[in-house]
């Protein structure tokens, strides 16, 4: 094996542990929130710094998650190929990478923006890595706990631009917080057998997927419609974003209703992919319809 191939393979494993693709979407939400702060203008350097800091912190949290779940990851088909259960990366090496990325990410946010954003990112890292991760084996309240660090990127981005936790930031946090529930439960529905084998308890009912869970997903999805309109009511965005929020929110709600009607894996998978489409559309609508001061 050549040295260049070995290095490329190790870098690929590092990116896999950091869940780079998922992390990119999380950090995109953070950047959108930053750019929505009144008075903040687009700066490529600032955006790149925010991306770098966010990716490093989120990646560090994901590494903690995989270190703590390395044994259960061996039990699930989709995670058995990860670097730690696959034996390609040692636990010591993973902890070292976790500390380096976490410290670097927090430092970038602190020195490039402010220490409120840096502190929130560090809190999010700890909450996801050391509270949400083990909680998944205790009971389904893990979804509620995990929804907080899942939505904090919005608040981190806002804090990076405003250096305060004002109502605008909380309105953005609310969108991503509410979004977590149908998103989580759709994934848990699709991967129910794998999750049960690993001992994860992410469903709000012990008997697993069913109409009651689909109904709860639909209720949380319904709440996203007024939450999506809130930035317009607060004067952050124009009326176009409110129209888009109603339309995409209604479409997402329909996906949840279809899951309630059919209560099957294909409908859950459609809701899962629909959650990604919803989030991308609402974020872009808010960003492009920002009110210029």
């Amino acid at each position: 094996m050549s040295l260049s191939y070995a290095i490329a393979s190790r870098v690929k494993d590092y990116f896999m542990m950091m869940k780079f693709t998922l992390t990119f979407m999380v950090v995109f939400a953070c950047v959108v929130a930053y750019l929505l702060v009144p008075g903040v203008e687009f700066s490529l350097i600032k955006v790149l710094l925010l991306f770098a800091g966010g990716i490093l912190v989120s990646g560090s949290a994901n590494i903690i998650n995989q270190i703590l779940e390395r044994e259960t990851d061996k039990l699930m088909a989709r995670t058995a190929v990860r670097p730690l259960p696959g034996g390609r990366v040692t636990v010591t090496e993973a902890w070292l990478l976790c500390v380096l990325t976490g410290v670097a990410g927090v430092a970038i946010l602190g020195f490039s923006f402010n220490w409120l954003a840096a502190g929130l990112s560090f809190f999010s890292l700890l909450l996801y890595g050391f509270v949400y991760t083990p909680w998944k084996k205790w009971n389904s309240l893990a979804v509620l706990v995990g929804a907080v660090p899942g939505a904090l990127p919005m608040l981190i981005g806002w804090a990076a631009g405003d250096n305060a936790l004002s109502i605008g930031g909380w309105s953005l946090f609310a969108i991503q917080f509410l979004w977590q529930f149908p998103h989580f439960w759709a994934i848990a529905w699709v991967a129910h057998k794998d999750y049960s084998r690993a001992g994860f308890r992410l469903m709000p009912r012990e008997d697993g997927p069913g109409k009651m869970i689909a109904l709860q997903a639909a209720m949380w999805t319904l709440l996203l419609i007024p939450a999506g309109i809130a930035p317009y009511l607060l004067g952050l965005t124009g009326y176009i974003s409110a129209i888009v929020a109603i339309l995409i929110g209604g479409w997402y709600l329909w996906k949840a209703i279809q899951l309630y009607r059919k209560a099957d894996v294909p409908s859950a998978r459609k809701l899962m992919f629909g959650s990604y489409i919803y989030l991308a559309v609402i974020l872009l609508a808010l960003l492009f319809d920002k009110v210029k001061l």
Side-chain angles (χ1 to χ4, degrees):
M1 182 185 295
S2 68
L3 178 60
S4 60
Y5 178 83
I7 293 173
S9 179
R10 184 51 55 93
V11 170
K12 181 181 178 182
D13 283 336
Y14 288 169
F15 272 93
M16 186 180 290
M17 285 196 297
M18 294 175 69
K19 298 182 182 177
F20 186 80
T21 303
L22 176 63
T23 298
F24 184 88
M25 187 172 182
V26 169
V27 177
F28 177 69
C30 181
V31 171
V32 169
Y34 167 74
L35 293 173
L36 281 171
V37 175
V40 169
E41 298 293 335
F42 179 82
S43 165
L44 181 59
I45 293 176
K46 284 288 190 180
V47 167
L48 290 176
L49 285 169
L50 189 54
F51 254 111
I55 284 174
L56 288 169
V57 173
S58 297
S60 179
N62 287 326
I63 294 169
I64 294 171
N65 174 270
Q66 292 188 51
I67 292 172
L68 298 183
E69 292 182 350
R70 62 189 183 276
E71 294 302 322
T72 50
D73 277 349
K74 294 178 182 178
L75 304 175
M76 298 187 290
R78 69 182 184 85
T79 57
V81 296
R82 286 175 174 175
L84 283 166
R88 300 189 304 276
V89 174
T90 67
V91 174
T92 301
E93 187 178 356
W95 275 121
L96 180 60
L97 181 64
C98 166
V99 172
L100 289 175
T101 53
V103 170
V106 171
I108 288 173
L109 293 174
F111 288 111
S112 302
F113 296 94
N114 54 67
W115 291 101
L116 175 60
L120 281 173
S121 68
F122 184 60
F123 171 70
S124 178
L125 183 158
L126 295 178
L127 188 59
Y128 182 86
F130 296 109
V131 180
Y132 165 69
T133 295
W135 203 313
K136 288 193 289 184
K137 288 195 170 185
W138 301 339
N139 57 54
S140 62
L141 283 176
V143 176
L144 176 63
V145 175
V148 176
L152 273 175
M154 287 287 214
L155 206 55
I156 293 166
W158 184 274
D162 193 39
N163 199 19
L165 301 181
S166 48
I167 190 169
W170 286 111
S171 71
L172 299 174
F173 172 89
I175 293 173
Q176 200 155 7
F177 179 80
L178 296 170
W179 172 84
Q180 303 281 323
F181 293 91
H183 171 71
F184 265 124
W185 289 331
I187 293 174
W189 193 307
V190 171
H192 178 63
K193 290 183 179 179
D194 256 2
Y195 281 169
S196 297
R197 192 179 303 116
F200 293 145
R201 300 179 177 180
L202 296 175
M203 286 290 188
R205 290 174 63 91
E206 291 294 332
D207 54 357
K211 281 188 175 290
M212 283 303 297
I213 293 170
L215 180 61
Q216 291 182 59
M219 290 171 62
W220 286 98
T221 307
L222 178 62
L223 291 174
L224 276 170
I225 297 176
I229 300 171
Y232 162 69
L233 297 176
L234 293 171
L236 298 177
T237 59
Y239 71 91
I240 294 176
S241 73
I243 294 173
V244 172
I246 293 170
L247 293 176
I248 192 65
W251 175 82
Y252 191 29
L253 175 60
W254 175 246
K255 292 291 182 182
I257 292 172
Q258 289 295 96
L259 177 60
Y260 176 76
R261 289 178 59 197
K262 299 179 180 180
D264 59 9
V265 170
S267 299
R269 187 173 285 110
K270 289 178 181 178
L271 180 64
M272 179 182 70
F273 287 118
S275 69
Y276 294 117
I277 294 172
Y278 169 85
L279 191 61
V281 170
I282 194 70
L283 289 176
L284 290 173
L286 293 172
L287 180 61
F288 287 114
D289 201 29
K290 176 183 177 180
V291 171
K292 305 296 182 182
L293 298 179

